[in-house]
Amino acid sequence: MNSISRFFWFCSGTHLSTLEKHPTEHNKYLGIGATIFFTGLFAALSGGYAMYFVFKGGDFAWLFALFFGIIWGLAIFNMDRYIVSSINKNATTNKQIWQATPRILLAIMIGMVISRPLELKIFDKEIKERLNVSYLNGQRSKIDTLNKAFDKKYTIEINKLNEAKAERDSLSAAIKADRQKLNFEIFGNKTTETSGVMGYGAFAKRKEAELKQREQNLDTLTKDVRKMEAFVDGRKQFDGLMTEKLYTTKQLDSLSNIAGFADRNWALGQLSYNVDGTRDNNTAIAITFIGLLFIFFECLPVFVKLMSSRGPYDQAVENIEITQVHLSNKDREFEVEVADGIHETRVSTEIEKRKEQIRNRARKDLQSED
């Protein structure tokens, strides 16, 4: 338990040897350190999960995700530790708030960054469903665009084909109706267009000859339609229309499973809206509150440090800092005095040296005159 406490004290950025002397402060900084630690842990999970989708599909995706998750978690942990430890409890309330403001803004940004990948995991099922709808609509739109472009490119050929089909269908219907009339004539069924006399007479023979001629025309027309259809199908194959089909459920699931971070992030944003474009307030509120939860969790150590009263540990730290500043000033004075003394010694030594040089020069001049 003592080792765990010391670890969380370290996480809170305290001076361990000083904190150990003040038992009443132990729990406060234990809680702050634990919050900072778990924030870093969530950041590691969030960063690793996000990076997994960046390298997804590679052989070492999990290894890259693990490595980046650890680095990201340590970075956020170190930043949070600095943010909390840099708030000076010995300053006035206004100054503490002024110190904490940029740190709170930074904590909010960190909370937003941490929360997004975790939200992607929480709403994973809904995101996949929305991606499936998006991919299916995209494929349908692509096929429609290709069809429109093809129809515009081959307008003449398609119009001829449609006219030939209409003529074929009309001729086929007429032949069917005339065949029925011929049967009525042969079997003696009385209608407005038949004689009602049973037998294969001259009228029936003439009708059958006409039907055979029209059937030959129908066969020729059908062959022409098939040729035109073959040409149009060949053009569709060449332009890629035949290979473009709507995705199956299995294909959609496969696409959503390999979707990247950007696609999943877009889908998460779209969860706040229904497919028809209306706003889904329930999902939007859920996503918002999850994000706010992580933001609050990230800001919590700063708020705890601000709300906590000035304790004996803070007083002890201030005393240590005052002492260290005083010692630093004394060291500076010592160094200044030593430097001044050395300088004076160097100056006096140099003066004596130059005086001696002048005396020696004067002696030489006197000796030369003698």
Side-chain angles (χ1 to χ4, degrees), residues 35-45 69 72-74 76-77 80:
T35 305
I36 294 174
F37 170 76
F38 285 110
T39 301
L41 180 61
F42 284 135
L45 295 174
W72 180 248
L74 290 175
I76 298 300
F77 168 78
D80 284 343

Side-chain angles (χ1 to χ4, degrees), residues 181-182 185-186 193-211:
K181 293 176 184 178
L182 177 61
E185 178 67 26
I186 294 173
E193 297 180 354
T194 58
S195 62
V197 179
M198 183 180 294
Y200 189 67
F203 181 76
K205 291 179 180 179
R206 187 174 66 254
K207 280 289 185 182
E208 186 173 12
E210 291 177 357
L211 280 174

Side-chain angles (χ1 to χ4, degrees), residues 48-337:
Y49 182 73
M51 193 54 57
Y52 176 75
F53 285 101
V54 175
F55 296 101
K56 192 173 184 180
D59 296 333
F60 300 100
W62 65 271
L63 186 61
F64 286 119
L66 178 63
F67 176 75
F68 180 82
I70 293 174
I71 297 299
W72 180 248
L74 290 175
I76 298 300
F77 168 78
N78 183 67
M79 195 174 299
D80 284 343
R81 188 169 179 266
Y82 164 74
I83 289 174
V84 174
S85 62
S86 61
I87 297 177
N88 184 10
K89 290 300 296 180
N90 297 312
T92 61
T93 302
N94 292 334
K95 189 174 182 180
Q96 290 183 44
I97 295 175
W98 177 254
Q99 289 177 341
T101 299
R103 292 163 174 80
I104 292 174
L105 295 176
L106 181 60
I108 291 173
M109 293 180 63
I110 294 173
M112 294 173 63
V113 172
I114 291 175
S115 65
R116 200 61 174 179
L118 295 178
E119 289 173 354
L120 293 176
K121 184 58 179 177
I122 293 172
F123 294 97
D124 183 65
K125 181 180 178 181
E126 291 78 8
I127 287 173
K128 287 182 178 179
E129 292 177 355
R130 185 54 60 92
L131 285 174
N132 288 346
V133 173
S134 175
Y135 291 148
L136 188 61
N137 291 337
Q139 184 68 2
R140 185 180 290 112
S141 177
K142 181 180 179 181
I143 293 174
D144 291 342
T145 302
L146 289 174
N147 285 328
K148 290 179 181 178
F150 182 84
D151 292 343
K152 185 177 181 180
K153 184 177 181 180
Y154 297 99
T155 303
I156 298 175
E157 291 81 357
I158 293 175
N159 288 338
K160 287 182 178 180
L161 175 60
N162 292 333
E163 291 174 359
K165 284 183 177 180
E167 185 180 355
R168 180 197 62 185
D169 295 339
S170 176
L171 183 58
S172 177
I175 290 174
K176 184 177 180 180
D178 289 345
R179 175 65 65 182
Q180 187 177 19
K181 293 176 184 178
L182 177 61
N183 291 334
F184 286 165
E185 178 67 26
I186 294 173
F187 293 104
N189 294 330
K190 178 65 176 176
T191 65
T192 57
E193 297 180 354
T194 58
S195 62
V197 179
M198 183 180 294
Y200 189 67
F203 181 76
K205 291 179 180 179
R206 187 174 66 254
K207 280 289 185 182
E208 186 173 12
E210 291 177 357
L211 280 174
K212 287 182 179 180
Q213 182 62 40
R214 297 176 72 179
E215 286 175 348
Q216 290 178 358
N217 294 338
L218 179 61
D219 291 339
T220 302
L221 187 58
T222 301
K223 291 179 181 179
D224 293 339
V225 169
R226 288 175 180 172
K227 288 180 181 179
M228 286 187 282
E229 286 179 339
F231 172 79
V232 172
D233 290 342
R235 293 294 88 192
K236 286 184 176 180
Q237 184 71 31
F238 180 79
D239 290 351
L241 268 71
M242 305 298 288
T243 57
E244 293 293 338
K245 298 180 181 179
L246 290 177
Y247 294 130
T248 63
T249 302
K250 185 177 181 180
Q251 288 174 325
L252 288 173
D253 291 339
S254 178
L255 287 172
S256 61
N257 286 332
I258 63 174
F261 183 82
D263 285 349
R264 297 177 68 83
N265 186 56
W266 171 85
L268 178 60
Q270 292 298 310
L271 290 181
S272 299
Y273 299 90
N274 295 313
V275 179
D276 58 1
T278 58
R279 187 166 179 80
D280 186 353
N281 292 323
N282 293 330
T283 305
I285 291 173
I287 295 174
T288 301
F289 271 94
I290 290 174
L292 291 176
L293 175 64
F294 282 101
I295 291 173
F296 175 76
F297 190 78
E298 175 66 27
C299 297
L300 187 60
V302 180
F303 291 148
V304 171
K305 190 71 179 288
L306 282 176
M307 291 185 297
S308 61
S309 59
R310 185 170 181 267
Y313 169 77
D314 300 307
Q315 181 64 52
V317 170
E318 183 182 19
N319 294 337
I320 292 174
E321 290 177 349
I322 293 173
T323 303
Q324 293 295 327
V325 171
H326 180 72
L327 290 175
S328 178
N329 291 333
K330 290 299 182 182
D331 289 341
R332 184 189 63 182
E333 293 174 0
F334 170 78
E335 294 295 335
V336 170
E337 290 181 4

Side-chain angles (χ1 to χ4, degrees), residues 1-14 16 19-20 26 29-38 40-41 74 77 81:
M1 183 63 184
N2 187 44
S3 299
I4 297 176
S5 298
R6 290 180 63 84
F7 172 73
F8 286 136
W9 292 342
F10 165 78
C11 294
S12 65
T14 59
L16 296 181
L19 181 61
E20 287 178 340
H26 288 182
Y29 287 97
L30 179 68
I32 294 175
T35 305
I36 294 174
F37 170 76
F38 285 110
L41 180 61
L74 290 175
F77 168 78
R81 188 169 179 266

Side-chain angles (χ1 to χ4, degrees), residues 347-363:
V347 170
S348 60
T349 303
E350 185 65 23
I351 291 173
E352 292 298 329
K353 181 179 178 181
R354 294 188 181 185
K355 285 181 178 180
E356 185 64 27
Q357 290 176 352
I358 293 172
R359 292 191 190 99
N360 292 335
R361 193 179 299 114
R363 291 192 191 98

